[in-house]
Amino acid sequence: EVQVVQSGAEVKKPGESLKISCQGSGDSFTNYWIGWVRQMPGKGLEWMGILFFSNSDTRYSPSFQGHVTISADKSISTAYLQWSSLKASDTAMYYCATTRDGNTHWDYWGQGTLVTVSS
Amino acid sequence: QSALTQPASVSGSPGQWITISCTGTSSDVGGYNYVSWYQQHPGKAPKVIIYGVSNRPSGVSNRFSGSKSGNTASLTISGLQAEDEADYYCSSFKGGLYVFGSGTEVTVL
Protein backbone atom coordinates (compact mmCIF):
# COMPACT_ATOMS: atom_id res chain seq x y z
CA GLU A 1 0.00 0.00 0.00
CA VAL A 2 1.28 3.45 -0.90
CA GLN A 3 2.03 5.69 2.07
CA VAL A 4 3.17 9.28 2.21
CA VAL A 5 4.95 10.65 5.28
CA GLN A 6 5.81 14.30 5.77
CA SER A 7 8.43 15.91 7.98
CA GLY A 8 7.48 17.35 11.34
CA ALA A 9 6.17 20.72 12.42
CA GLU A 10 8.46 23.73 12.13
CA VAL A 11 8.65 27.04 13.99
CA LYS A 12 10.70 29.69 12.23
CA LYS A 13 11.36 33.42 12.31
CA PRO A 14 10.62 35.78 9.42
CA GLY A 15 13.48 35.85 6.95
CA GLU A 16 14.67 32.33 7.75
CA SER A 17 14.85 29.57 5.16
CA LEU A 18 13.07 26.24 5.36
CA LYS A 19 12.83 22.96 3.49
CA ILE A 20 10.11 20.44 4.32
CA SER A 21 9.87 16.94 2.92
CA CYS A 22 7.42 14.31 1.79
CA GLN A 23 8.51 10.68 1.38
CA GLY A 24 6.56 7.98 -0.42
CA SER A 25 6.75 4.25 0.13
CA GLY A 26 4.99 1.12 -1.05
CA ASP A 27 5.61 1.52 -4.77
CA SER A 28 8.15 2.75 -7.28
CA PHE A 29 7.52 6.49 -7.49
CA THR A 30 9.23 6.95 -10.84
CA ASN A 31 5.87 7.36 -12.55
CA TYR A 32 4.20 9.40 -9.87
CA TRP A 33 3.33 13.06 -9.59
CA ILE A 34 3.70 14.86 -6.26
CA GLY A 35 1.69 17.94 -5.39
CA TRP A 36 1.93 20.50 -2.59
CA VAL A 37 -1.18 22.11 -1.08
CA ARG A 38 -1.36 25.03 1.33
CA GLN A 39 -4.09 25.49 3.93
CA MET A 40 -3.85 28.70 5.89
CA PRO A 41 -5.49 28.76 9.35
CA GLY A 42 -9.27 28.45 8.99
CA LYS A 43 -9.06 28.68 5.20
CA GLY A 44 -9.45 26.46 2.15
CA LEU A 45 -7.08 24.32 0.14
CA GLU A 46 -4.77 25.88 -2.46
CA TRP A 47 -2.66 24.06 -5.04
CA MET A 48 0.92 25.36 -4.89
CA GLY A 49 2.51 23.24 -7.57
CA ILE A 50 3.18 19.76 -8.87
CA LEU A 51 6.27 17.76 -9.87
CA PHE A 52 6.72 14.57 -11.90
CA PHE A 53 9.28 12.29 -10.23
CA SER A 54 10.52 10.74 -13.46
CA ASN A 55 11.90 13.89 -15.08
CA SER A 56 11.32 16.58 -12.39
CA ASP A 57 8.87 18.43 -14.65
CA THR A 58 7.66 21.12 -12.21
CA ARG A 59 4.66 23.41 -12.53
CA TYR A 60 3.75 26.23 -10.15
CA SER A 61 0.44 27.93 -9.53
CA PRO A 62 0.79 31.61 -10.45
CA SER A 63 0.26 32.68 -6.83
CA PHE A 64 3.26 30.66 -5.68
CA GLN A 65 5.65 30.99 -8.64
CA GLY A 66 8.84 32.63 -7.43
CA HIS A 67 7.93 32.31 -3.74
CA VAL A 68 8.67 28.62 -3.20
CA THR A 69 10.76 25.90 -4.82
CA ILE A 70 9.54 22.35 -5.36
CA SER A 71 12.17 19.67 -5.91
CA ALA A 72 12.67 15.94 -5.53
CA ASP A 73 15.22 13.21 -4.98
CA LYS A 74 13.76 10.25 -6.83
CA SER A 75 16.43 7.91 -5.47
CA ILE A 76 14.71 8.15 -2.09
CA SER A 77 11.18 8.86 -3.35
CA THR A 78 11.19 12.20 -1.55
CA ALA A 79 9.86 15.58 -2.61
CA TYR A 80 10.65 18.92 -1.02
CA LEU A 81 9.04 22.32 -0.59
CA GLN A 82 11.48 25.11 0.10
CA TRP A 83 11.42 28.79 1.10
CA SER A 84 14.46 31.05 1.00
CA SER A 85 12.96 33.80 3.16
CA LEU A 86 9.85 33.05 5.18
CA LYS A 87 7.14 35.56 5.97
CA ALA A 88 4.51 35.51 8.70
CA SER A 89 1.93 34.94 5.96
CA ASP A 90 3.57 31.56 5.18
CA THR A 91 2.13 30.25 8.44
CA ALA A 92 -0.05 27.35 7.32
CA MET A 93 -0.50 23.61 7.13
CA TYR A 94 1.19 22.17 4.07
CA TYR A 95 0.05 18.87 2.60
CA CYS A 96 1.71 16.78 -0.03
CA ALA A 97 -0.29 14.43 -2.22
CA THR A 98 0.74 11.93 -4.82
CA THR A 99 -0.81 10.04 -7.71
CA ARG A 100 0.25 7.80 -10.58
CA ASP A 101 0.92 9.43 -13.95
CA GLY A 102 -2.29 9.32 -15.96
CA ASN A 103 -4.55 9.86 -12.97
CA THR A 104 -6.21 13.23 -12.54
CA HIS A 105 -7.05 12.94 -8.88
CA TRP A 106 -4.83 12.76 -5.85
CA ASP A 107 -5.35 9.57 -3.93
CA TYR A 108 -2.50 9.46 -1.44
CA TRP A 109 -2.00 12.27 1.04
CA GLY A 110 0.56 13.00 3.70
CA GLN A 111 -0.43 13.89 7.24
CA GLY A 112 0.50 17.55 6.79
CA THR A 113 3.36 19.73 8.05
CA LEU A 114 2.46 22.75 10.18
CA VAL A 115 4.77 25.69 9.52
CA THR A 116 4.59 28.59 11.98
CA VAL A 117 6.47 31.78 11.17
CA SER A 118 6.62 34.23 14.04
CA SER A 119 9.08 36.70 15.49
CA GLN B 1 -5.51 30.53 -10.62
CA SER B 2 -8.96 31.68 -9.43
CA ALA B 3 -10.69 29.24 -7.13
CA LEU B 4 -13.75 27.41 -8.37
CA THR B 5 -16.96 28.71 -6.77
CA GLN B 6 -18.72 26.62 -4.13
CA PRO B 7 -21.41 27.58 -1.61
CA ALA B 8 -19.84 28.38 1.76
CA SER B 9 -22.17 26.07 3.66
CA VAL B 10 -24.86 23.47 3.14
CA SER B 11 -26.87 21.70 5.82
CA GLY B 12 -29.33 18.86 6.01
CA SER B 13 -30.99 16.49 8.44
CA PRO B 14 -29.93 12.86 8.84
CA GLY B 15 -31.31 10.75 6.02
CA GLN B 16 -31.83 13.67 3.65
CA TRP B 17 -29.80 14.37 0.54
CA ILE B 18 -27.83 17.49 -0.22
CA THR B 19 -26.05 18.81 -3.30
CA ILE B 20 -22.91 20.95 -3.47
CA SER B 21 -22.18 22.86 -6.64
CA CYS B 22 -18.78 23.76 -8.08
CA THR B 23 -18.77 26.40 -10.79
CA GLY B 24 -15.79 27.11 -13.00
CA THR B 25 -15.17 28.02 -16.60
CA SER B 26 -14.61 26.35 -19.94
CA SER B 27 -10.89 26.38 -19.08
CA ASP B 28 -11.31 24.06 -16.13
CA VAL B 29 -14.56 22.33 -15.08
CA GLY B 30 -16.20 22.71 -18.47
CA GLY B 31 -13.14 21.79 -20.47
CA TYR B 32 -12.18 18.46 -18.93
CA ASN B 33 -13.83 15.46 -17.28
CA TYR B 34 -11.19 15.74 -14.59
CA VAL B 35 -13.25 17.02 -11.66
CA SER B 36 -12.61 15.39 -8.31
CA TRP B 37 -14.09 15.95 -4.87
CA TYR B 38 -12.28 15.82 -1.53
CA GLN B 39 -13.66 15.42 1.98
CA GLN B 40 -11.74 16.96 4.87
CA HIS B 41 -12.60 16.40 8.52
CA PRO B 42 -11.21 18.87 11.08
CA GLY B 43 -7.51 18.37 11.67
CA LYS B 44 -7.25 15.68 9.00
CA ALA B 45 -5.79 15.46 5.51
CA PRO B 46 -8.18 15.61 2.56
CA LYS B 47 -9.52 12.35 1.15
CA VAL B 48 -10.69 11.84 -2.43
CA ILE B 49 -14.32 10.70 -2.64
CA ILE B 50 -15.10 11.30 -6.33
CA TYR B 51 -12.79 11.45 -9.36
CA GLY B 52 -13.28 11.84 -13.08
CA VAL B 53 -16.57 13.71 -12.39
CA SER B 54 -18.55 10.67 -11.21
CA ASN B 55 -16.25 7.79 -10.22
CA ARG B 56 -15.92 6.57 -6.64
CA PRO B 57 -12.64 5.15 -5.31
CA SER B 58 -12.78 1.76 -3.74
CA GLY B 59 -14.10 1.97 -0.19
CA VAL B 60 -16.04 5.20 -0.61
CA SER B 61 -19.73 4.96 0.22
CA ASN B 62 -22.16 4.86 -2.70
CA ARG B 63 -24.06 7.62 -0.91
CA PHE B 64 -21.63 9.97 -2.62
CA SER B 65 -22.20 10.72 -6.30
CA GLY B 66 -20.91 13.28 -8.78
CA SER B 67 -22.09 14.84 -12.01
CA LYS B 68 -21.33 17.72 -14.33
CA SER B 69 -23.26 20.00 -16.65
CA GLY B 70 -21.40 22.60 -18.64
CA ASN B 71 -19.10 24.58 -16.35
CA THR B 72 -20.71 23.33 -13.13
CA ALA B 73 -19.97 20.10 -11.32
CA SER B 74 -22.05 18.77 -8.45
CA LEU B 75 -21.55 16.44 -5.50
CA THR B 76 -24.63 14.78 -4.03
CA ILE B 77 -24.65 13.13 -0.64
CA SER B 78 -27.71 10.96 -0.10
CA GLY B 79 -28.87 9.46 3.18
CA LEU B 80 -26.94 12.11 5.11
CA GLN B 81 -25.15 10.77 8.19
CA ALA B 82 -23.46 12.48 11.12
CA GLU B 83 -20.07 11.31 9.86
CA ASP B 84 -20.59 13.29 6.65
CA GLU B 85 -20.17 16.54 8.58
CA ALA B 86 -16.95 17.92 7.08
CA ASP B 87 -15.55 20.37 4.55
CA TYR B 88 -15.82 19.43 0.87
CA TYR B 89 -13.65 20.74 -1.94
CA CYS B 90 -13.94 20.25 -5.67
CA SER B 91 -10.82 20.31 -7.83
CA SER B 92 -10.33 20.50 -11.57
CA PHE B 93 -7.48 20.14 -14.00
CA LYS B 94 -6.63 23.52 -15.51
CA GLY B 95 -3.88 24.37 -17.95
CA GLY B 96 -1.45 21.67 -16.87
CA LEU B 97 -2.09 22.22 -13.18
CA TYR B 98 -5.01 21.98 -10.78
CA VAL B 99 -7.35 24.37 -9.02
CA PHE B 100 -9.51 23.84 -5.93
CA GLY B 101 -12.94 25.11 -5.18
CA SER B 102 -13.51 27.60 -2.34
CA GLY B 103 -14.82 24.83 -0.10
CA THR B 104 -18.21 23.98 1.42
CA GLU B 105 -18.89 23.25 5.07
CA VAL B 106 -21.52 20.54 5.43
CA THR B 107 -23.50 20.51 8.66
CA VAL B 108 -25.74 17.64 9.70
CA LEU B 109 -28.58 19.12 11.72
mmCIF file with all atom_site columns, all heavy atoms in Angstrom, chain B residues 24-39:
data_model
loop_
_atom_site.group_PDB
_atom_site.id
_atom_site.type_symbol
_atom_site.label_atom_id
_atom_site.label_alt_id
_atom_site.label_comp_id
_atom_site.label_asym_id
_atom_site.label_entity_id
_atom_site.label_seq_id
_atom_site.pdbx_PDB_ins_code
_atom_site.Cartn_x
_atom_site.Cartn_y
_atom_site.Cartn_z
_atom_site.occupancy
_atom_site.B_iso_or_equiv
_atom_site.pdbx_formal_charge
_atom_site.auth_seq_id
_atom_site.auth_comp_id
_atom_site.auth_asym_id
_atom_site.auth_atom_id
_atom_site.pdbx_PDB_model_num
ATOM 1   N N   . GLY B 1 24 ? -17.055 26.637 -12.438 1.00 0.00 ? 24 GLY B N   1
ATOM 2   C CA  . GLY B 1 24 ? -15.795 27.108 -12.999 1.00 0.00 ? 24 GLY B CA  1
ATOM 3   C C   . GLY B 1 24 ? -16.011 27.741 -14.349 1.00 0.00 ? 24 GLY B C   1
ATOM 4   O O   . GLY B 1 24 ? -16.995 28.458 -14.549 1.00 0.00 ? 24 GLY B O   1
ATOM 5   N N   . THR B 1 25 ? -15.101 27.452 -15.258 1.00 0.00 ? 25 THR B N   1
ATOM 6   C CA  . THR B 1 25 ? -15.169 28.020 -16.600 1.00 0.00 ? 25 THR B CA  1
ATOM 7   C C   . THR B 1 25 ? -14.904 26.923 -17.628 1.00 0.00 ? 25 THR B C   1
ATOM 8   O O   . THR B 1 25 ? -14.645 25.770 -17.274 1.00 0.00 ? 25 THR B O   1
ATOM 9   C CB  . THR B 1 25 ? -14.121 29.127 -16.774 1.00 0.00 ? 25 THR B CB  1
ATOM 10  O OG1 . THR B 1 25 ? -12.813 28.528 -16.774 1.00 0.00 ? 25 THR B OG1 1
ATOM 11  C CG2 . THR B 1 25 ? -14.209 30.165 -15.667 1.00 0.00 ? 25 THR B CG2 1
ATOM 12  N N   . SER B 1 26 ? -14.914 27.306 -18.878 1.00 0.00 ? 26 SER B N   1
ATOM 13  C CA  . SER B 1 26 ? -14.612 26.354 -19.943 1.00 0.00 ? 26 SER B CA  1
ATOM 14  C C   . SER B 1 26 ? -13.132 25.963 -19.952 1.00 0.00 ? 26 SER B C   1
ATOM 15  O O   . SER B 1 26 ? -12.743 25.018 -20.631 1.00 0.00 ? 26 SER B O   1
ATOM 16  C CB  . SER B 1 26 ? -14.996 26.937 -21.304 1.00 0.00 ? 26 SER B CB  1
ATOM 17  O OG  . SER B 1 26 ? -14.307 28.156 -21.529 1.00 0.00 ? 26 SER B OG  1
ATOM 18  N N   . SER B 1 27 ? -12.322 26.683 -19.162 1.00 0.00 ? 27 SER B N   1
ATOM 19  C CA  . SER B 1 27 ? -10.887 26.380 -19.075 1.00 0.00 ? 27 SER B CA  1
ATOM 20  C C   . SER B 1 27 ? -10.577 25.347 -18.005 1.00 0.00 ? 27 SER B C   1
ATOM 21  O O   . SER B 1 27 ? -9.456  24.853 -17.929 1.00 0.00 ? 27 SER B O   1
ATOM 22  C CB  . SER B 1 27 ? -10.090 27.659 -18.768 1.00 0.00 ? 27 SER B CB  1
ATOM 23  O OG  . SER B 1 27 ? -10.224 28.597 -19.798 1.00 0.00 ? 27 SER B OG  1
ATOM 24  N N   . ASP B 1 28 ? -11.556 25.047 -17.179 1.00 0.00 ? 28 ASP B N   1
ATOM 25  C CA  . ASP B 1 28 ? -11.314 24.057 -16.130 1.00 0.00 ? 28 ASP B CA  1
ATOM 26  C C   . ASP B 1 28 ? -12.468 23.059 -16.083 1.00 0.00 ? 28 ASP B C   1
ATOM 27  O O   . ASP B 1 28 ? -12.459 22.074 -16.824 1.00 0.00 ? 28 ASP B O   1
ATOM 28  C CB  . ASP B 1 28 ? -11.054 24.708 -14.767 1.00 0.00 ? 28 ASP B CB  1
ATOM 29  C CG  . ASP B 1 28 ? -11.918 25.963 -14.507 1.00 0.00 ? 28 ASP B CG  1
ATOM 30  O OD1 . ASP B 1 28 ? -13.147 25.804 -14.467 1.00 0.00 ? 28 ASP B OD1 1
ATOM 31  O OD2 . ASP B 1 28 ? -11.370 27.050 -14.360 1.00 0.00 ? 28 ASP B OD2 1
ATOM 32  N N   . VAL B 1 29 ? -13.468 23.293 -15.254 1.00 0.00 ? 29 VAL B N   1
ATOM 33  C CA  . VAL B 1 29 ? -14.562 22.326 -15.079 1.00 0.00 ? 29 VAL B CA  1
ATOM 34  C C   . VAL B 1 29 ? -15.208 21.955 -16.410 1.00 0.00 ? 29 VAL B C   1
ATOM 35  O O   . VAL B 1 29 ? -15.432 20.774 -16.707 1.00 0.00 ? 29 VAL B O   1
ATOM 36  C CB  . VAL B 1 29 ? -15.635 22.876 -14.117 1.00 0.00 ? 29 VAL B CB  1
ATOM 37  C CG1 . VAL B 1 29 ? -16.841 21.948 -14.056 1.00 0.00 ? 29 VAL B CG1 1
ATOM 38  C CG2 . VAL B 1 29 ? -15.041 23.077 -12.723 1.00 0.00 ? 29 VAL B CG2 1
ATOM 39  N N   . GLY B 1 30 ? -15.497 22.960 -17.215 1.00 0.00 ? 30 GLY B N   1
ATOM 40  C CA  . GLY B 1 30 ? -16.197 22.706 -18.472 1.00 0.00 ? 30 GLY B CA  1
ATOM 41  C C   . GLY B 1 30 ? -15.340 22.104 -19.566 1.00 0.00 ? 30 GLY B C   1
ATOM 42  O O   . GLY B 1 30 ? -15.857 21.546 -20.535 1.00 0.00 ? 30 GLY B O   1
ATOM 43  N N   . GLY B 1 31 ? -14.028 22.218 -19.404 1.00 0.00 ? 31 GLY B N   1
ATOM 44  C CA  . GLY B 1 31 ? -13.141 21.791 -20.470 1.00 0.00 ? 31 GLY B CA  1
ATOM 45  C C   . GLY B 1 31 ? -12.610 20.385 -20.360 1.00 0.00 ? 31 GLY B C   1
ATOM 46  O O   . GLY B 1 31 ? -12.058 19.837 -21.309 1.00 0.00 ? 31 GLY B O   1
ATOM 47  N N   . TYR B 1 32 ? -12.742 19.790 -19.173 1.00 0.00 ? 32 TYR B N   1
ATOM 48  C CA  . TYR B 1 32 ? -12.183 18.459 -18.929 1.00 0.00 ? 32 TYR B CA  1
ATOM 49  C C   . TYR B 1 32 ? -13.128 17.645 -18.045 1.00 0.00 ? 32 TYR B C   1
ATOM 50  O O   . TYR B 1 32 ? -13.819 18.200 -17.199 1.00 0.00 ? 32 TYR B O   1
ATOM 51  C CB  . TYR B 1 32 ? -10.842 18.552 -18.190 1.00 0.00 ? 32 TYR B CB  1
ATOM 52  C CG  . TYR B 1 32 ? -9.819  19.483 -18.801 1.00 0.00 ? 32 TYR B CG  1
ATOM 53  C CD1 . TYR B 1 32 ? -9.740  20.817 -18.390 1.00 0.00 ? 32 TYR B CD1 1
ATOM 54  C CD2 . TYR B 1 32 ? -8.933  19.029 -19.761 1.00 0.00 ? 32 TYR B CD2 1
ATOM 55  C CE1 . TYR B 1 32 ? -8.802  21.664 -18.922 1.00 0.00 ? 32 TYR B CE1 1
ATOM 56  C CE2 . TYR B 1 32 ? -7.983  19.880 -20.303 1.00 0.00 ? 32 TYR B CE2 1
ATOM 57  C CZ  . TYR B 1 32 ? -7.925  21.194 -19.881 1.00 0.00 ? 32 TYR B CZ  1
ATOM 58  O OH  . TYR B 1 32 ? -6.977  22.040 -20.420 1.00 0.00 ? 32 TYR B OH  1
ATOM 59  N N   . ASN B 1 33 ? -13.107 16.342 -18.206 1.00 0.00 ? 33 ASN B N   1
ATOM 60  C CA  . ASN B 1 33 ? -13.835 15.463 -17.276 1.00 0.00 ? 33 ASN B CA  1
ATOM 61  C C   . ASN B 1 33 ? -12.894 15.028 -16.161 1.00 0.00 ? 33 ASN B C   1
ATOM 62  O O   . ASN B 1 33 ? -12.794 13.851 -15.815 1.00 0.00 ? 33 ASN B O   1
ATOM 63  C CB  . ASN B 1 33 ? -14.399 14.248 -18.011 1.00 0.00 ? 33 ASN B CB  1
ATOM 64  C CG  . ASN B 1 33 ? -15.593 14.613 -18.858 1.00 0.00 ? 33 ASN B CG  1
ATOM 65  O OD1 . ASN B 1 33 ? -16.394 15.478 -18.486 1.00 0.00 ? 33 ASN B OD1 1
ATOM 66  N ND2 . ASN B 1 33 ? -15.726 13.978 -20.013 1.00 0.00 ? 33 ASN B ND2 1
ATOM 67  N N   . TYR B 1 34 ? -12.205 15.998 -15.603 1.00 0.00 ? 34 TYR B N   1
ATOM 68  C CA  . TYR B 1 34 ? -11.191 15.743 -14.587 1.00 0.00 ? 34 TYR B CA  1
ATOM 69  C C   . TYR B 1 34 ? -11.547 16.455 -13.286 1.00 0.00 ? 34 TYR B C   1
ATOM 70  O O   . TYR B 1 34 ? -10.688 17.045 -12.632 1.00 0.00 ? 34 TYR B O   1
ATOM 71  C CB  . TYR B 1 34 ? -9.820  16.205 -15.060 1.00 0.00 ? 34 TYR B CB  1
ATOM 72  C CG  . TYR B 1 34 ? -9.286  15.480 -16.277 1.00 0.00 ? 34 TYR B CG  1
ATOM 73  C CD1 . TYR B 1 34 ? -8.359  16.091 -17.120 1.00 0.00 ? 34 TYR B CD1 1
ATOM 74  C CD2 . TYR B 1 34 ? -9.703  14.192 -16.589 1.00 0.00 ? 34 TYR B CD2 1
ATOM 75  C CE1 . TYR B 1 34 ? -7.854  15.436 -18.223 1.00 0.00 ? 34 TYR B CE1 1
ATOM 76  C CE2 . TYR B 1 34 ? -9.199  13.526 -17.694 1.00 0.00 ? 34 TYR B CE2 1
ATOM 77  C CZ  . TYR B 1 34 ? -8.277  14.155 -18.506 1.00 0.00 ? 34 TYR B CZ  1
ATOM 78  O OH  . TYR B 1 34 ? -7.784  13.504 -19.610 1.00 0.00 ? 34 TYR B OH  1
ATOM 79  N N   . VAL B 1 35 ? -12.814 16.417 -12.918 1.00 0.00 ? 35 VAL B N   1
ATOM 80  C CA  . VAL B 1 35 ? -13.245 17.019 -11.657 1.00 0.00 ? 35 VAL B CA  1
ATOM 81  C C   . VAL B 1 35 ? -13.213 15.951 -10.569 1.00 0.00 ? 35 VAL B C   1
ATOM 82  O O   . VAL B 1 35 ? -13.700 14.833 -10.756 1.00 0.00 ? 35 VAL B O   1
ATOM 83  C CB  . VAL B 1 35 ? -14.673 17.584 -11.761 1.00 0.00 ? 35 VAL B CB  1
ATOM 84  C CG1 . VAL B 1 35 ? -15.138 18.113 -10.405 1.00 0.00 ? 35 VAL B CG1 1
ATOM 85  C CG2 . VAL B 1 35 ? -14.726 18.685 -12.817 1.00 0.00 ? 35 VAL B CG2 1
ATOM 86  N N   . SER B 1 36 ? -12.617 16.292 -9.454  1.00 0.00 ? 36 SER B N   1
ATOM 87  C CA  . SER B 1 36 ? -12.606 15.393 -8.306  1.00 0.00 ? 36 SER B CA  1
ATOM 88  C C   . SER B 1 36 ? -13.116 16.144 -7.079  1.00 0.00 ? 36 SER B C   1
ATOM 89  O O   . SER B 1 36 ? -13.148 17.373 -7.068  1.00 0.00 ? 36 SER B O   1
ATOM 90  C CB  . SER B 1 36 ? -11.202 14.829 -8.057  1.00 0.00 ? 36 SER B CB  1
ATOM 91  O OG  . SER B 1 36 ? -10.220 15.844 -8.075  1.00 0.00 ? 36 SER B OG  1
ATOM 92  N N   . TRP B 1 37 ? -13.542 15.380 -6.100  1.00 0.00 ? 37 TRP B N   1
ATOM 93  C CA  . TRP B 1 37 ? -14.085 15.949 -4.870  1.00 0.00 ? 37 TRP B CA  1
ATOM 94  C C   . TRP B 1 37 ? -13.313 15.357 -3.690  1.00 0.00 ? 37 TRP B C   1
ATOM 95  O O   . TRP B 1 37 ? -13.035 14.164 -3.648  1.00 0.00 ? 37 TRP B O   1
ATOM 96  C CB  . TRP B 1 37 ? -15.563 15.629 -4.725  1.00 0.00 ? 37 TRP B CB  1
ATOM 97  C CG  . TRP B 1 37 ? -16.437 16.381 -5.684  1.00 0.00 ? 37 TRP B CG  1
ATOM 98  C CD1 . TRP B 1 37 ? -16.791 15.998 -6.949  1.00 0.00 ? 37 TRP B CD1 1
ATOM 99  C CD2 . TRP B 1 37 ? -17.085 17.638 -5.450  1.00 0.00 ? 37 TRP B CD2 1
ATOM 100 N NE1 . TRP B 1 37 ? -17.606 16.946 -7.523  1.00 0.00 ? 37 TRP B NE1 1
ATOM 101 C CE2 . TRP B 1 37 ? -17.801 17.962 -6.617  1.00 0.00 ? 37 TRP B CE2 1
ATOM 102 C CE3 . TRP B 1 37 ? -17.126 18.518 -4.362  1.00 0.00 ? 37 TRP B CE3 1
ATOM 103 C CZ2 . TRP B 1 37 ? -18.560 19.138 -6.727  1.00 0.00 ? 37 TRP B CZ2 1
ATOM 104 C CZ3 . TRP B 1 37 ? -17.876 19.677 -4.474  1.00 0.00 ? 37 TRP B CZ3 1
ATOM 105 C CH2 . TRP B 1 37 ? -18.587 19.981 -5.654  1.00 0.00 ? 37 TRP B CH2 1
ATOM 106 N N   . TYR B 1 38 ? -13.033 16.219 -2.696  1.00 0.00 ? 38 TYR B N   1
ATOM 107 C CA  . TYR B 1 38 ? -12.279 15.817 -1.527  1.00 0.00 ? 38 TYR B CA  1
ATOM 108 C C   . TYR B 1 38 ? -13.073 16.154 -0.265  1.00 0.00 ? 38 TYR B C   1
ATOM 109 O O   . TYR B 1 38 ? -13.684 17.222 -0.172  1.00 0.00 ? 38 TYR B O   1
ATOM 110 C CB  . TYR B 1 38 ? -10.909 16.516 -1.499  1.00 0.00 ? 38 TYR B CB  1
ATOM 111 C CG  . TYR B 1 38 ? -10.074 16.150 -2.692  1.00 0.00 ? 38 TYR B CG  1
ATOM 112 C CD1 . TYR B 1 38 ? -10.215 16.838 -3.895  1.00 0.00 ? 38 TYR B CD1 1
ATOM 113 C CD2 . TYR B 1 38 ? -9.163  15.088 -2.638  1.00 0.00 ? 38 TYR B CD2 1
ATOM 114 C CE1 . TYR B 1 38 ? -9.484  16.483 -5.012  1.00 0.00 ? 38 TYR B CE1 1
ATOM 115 C CE2 . TYR B 1 38 ? -8.423  14.738 -3.753  1.00 0.00 ? 38 TYR B CE2 1
ATOM 116 C CZ  . TYR B 1 38 ? -8.597  15.426 -4.935  1.00 0.00 ? 38 TYR B CZ  1
ATOM 117 O OH  . TYR B 1 38 ? -7.877  15.059 -6.035  1.00 0.00 ? 38 TYR B OH  1
ATOM 118 N N   . GLN B 1 39 ? -13.019 15.234 0.678   1.00 0.00 ? 39 GLN B N   1
ATOM 119 C CA  . GLN B 1 39 ? -13.656 15.422 1.980   1.00 0.00 ? 39 GLN B CA  1
ATOM 120 C C   . GLN B 1 39 ? -12.560 15.675 3.001   1.00 0.00 ? 39 GLN B C   1
ATOM 121 O O   . GLN B 1 39 ? -11.553 14.963 3.016   1.00 0.00 ? 39 GLN B O   1
ATOM 122 C CB  . GLN B 1 39 ? -14.435 14.160 2.364   1.00 0.00 ? 39 GLN B CB  1
ATOM 123 C CG  . GLN B 1 39 ? -15.095 14.188 3.723   1.00 0.00 ? 39 GLN B CG  1
ATOM 124 C CD  . GLN B 1 39 ? -15.586 12.789 4.105   1.00 0.00 ? 39 GLN B CD  1
ATOM 125 O OE1 . GLN B 1 39 ? -14.812 11.837 4.222   1.00 0.00 ? 39 GLN B OE1 1
ATOM 126 N NE2 . GLN B 1 39 ? -16.887 12.664 4.322   1.00 0.00 ? 39 GLN B NE2 1
#
